[in-house]
Amino acid sequence: MGDALSSLLQDIRPSGALFDQTVVSAPWSLRFAEAAPLTLLTMLSGEAWAVPEHGDAVPLRTGDVALVIGPDPFTVADAPTTAPMAVLGASGSCTAPDGDPLDGELPMCRPTGHPGESTVLLKVAYRVHGRLGGRVLDSLPRVARIPALPGRCPTLDMISAEIDEDAPGRDVILDRLLDLLLVSSLREWFKLPTTDAPAWYRAHGDPVVGRALRAIHEAPARPWTVALLAARAGVSRAAFAERFTRLVDRPPMAYLAEWRVCQAADLLATTDATVAAVARQVGYSSSYALSVAFKRTLGVRPTEYRDGARGGRAA
């Protein structure tokens, strides 16, 4: 995992139970209140609007992708002014806007493939685990729209076909395809001329700093120094330090410490390893050294972070 985006996306996975392809008839409006940290929307056909709880409505044309950052509710509708007709909550619950349960098929929805219908919405909720995955979300606006590329998107065609076919192994194939759709959508978003891509993403394309970033991501526990990273990048120590700081917006050792602390945070939240063992795994000589870096970066000690993370999961 030499590049930052690949490393960060290891903590973002599609929630298999929460993808859905819906055929709708105007007027229609669906409010999503699932509190998902990341939702991908795309129109397989037809047009719609993504309306966040706070902010401007975003148009979606056929083949466009919208990445919606949670957990606040949002609405997808045929027009920004169409009031929600149903609210979809966690665990698949579906209610009327007043909270009364809705049983049976919604009046604006039709089974996939219903003749004469032309508006098909695909929605995918993604689970996001850990500090590393959060770095991707922190770089996105509330709703990030990626315009459709010229021609038909093969990944969308394959996803639609898999959902329609419902053949053995469908869920596994869909998980892989949904991963691909997310990664390709993020890459296209960061490439847009109007996008303010994060410094760590832009710097990856630099022939000097990119080498150092790949080295850090591939082996964060190695005892890196500015001199070693400069040698890996093939430039002098002074030239490397200046260029890295300018492109990444922080000095090399500060970036390395942040990356190590994020990895440590994820290990503390998801494993029973001791703080000392986690410290060694991410490149610190002792639990004290990790604790100092942890407190400086996240404002809490490792044990406090672990207690809070596990308490949040229990809740």
Side-chain angles (χ1 to χ4, degrees), residues 232-248:
R232 176 64 67 92
V235 296
S236 71
R237 183 184 185 282
F240 169 74
E242 185 280 329
R243 187 164 179 158
F244 191 103
T245 303
R246 174 165 47 85
L247 294 182
V248 185

Side-chain angles (χ1 to χ4, degrees), residues 28-30 41 43 47-52 56-61 74-81:
W28 62 274
S29 180
L30 296 171
L41 306 169
M43 302 307 297
E47 299 182 355
W49 290 80
V51 186
D56 297 331
V58 176
L60 293 176
R61 298 176 177 83
F74 62 92
T75 300
V76 186
D78 66 318
T81 55

Side-chain angles (χ1 to χ4, degrees), residues 22-79:
T22 304
V23 181
V24 287
S25 302
W28 62 274
S29 180
L30 296 171
R31 181 172 174 82
F32 295 96
E34 299 158 322
L38 174 64
T39 303
L40 183 149
L41 306 169
T42 186
M43 302 307 297
L44 298 180
S45 64
E47 299 182 355
W49 290 80
V51 186
E53 185 81 346
H54 305 287
D56 297 331
V58 176
L60 293 176
R61 298 176 177 83
T62 301
D64 290 353
V65 170
L67 301 175
V68 184
I69 306 303
D72 292 342
F74 62 92
T75 300
V76 186
D78 66 318

Side-chain angles (χ1 to χ4, degrees), residues 205-220:
D206 182 79
V208 172
V209 176
R211 292 180 190 173
L213 288 173
R214 284 188 289 273
I216 289 172
H217 300 151
E218 289 169 357

Side-chain angles (χ1 to χ4, degrees), residues 28 41 53 73 90 104 118 149 194 200 237 262 267 271 296-297 303:
W28 62 274
L41 306 169
E53 185 81 346
S118 60
L149 296 174
T194 56
W200 54 259
R237 183 184 185 282
C262 284
L267 290 170
T271 74
R296 182 172 57 245
T297 303
T303 51

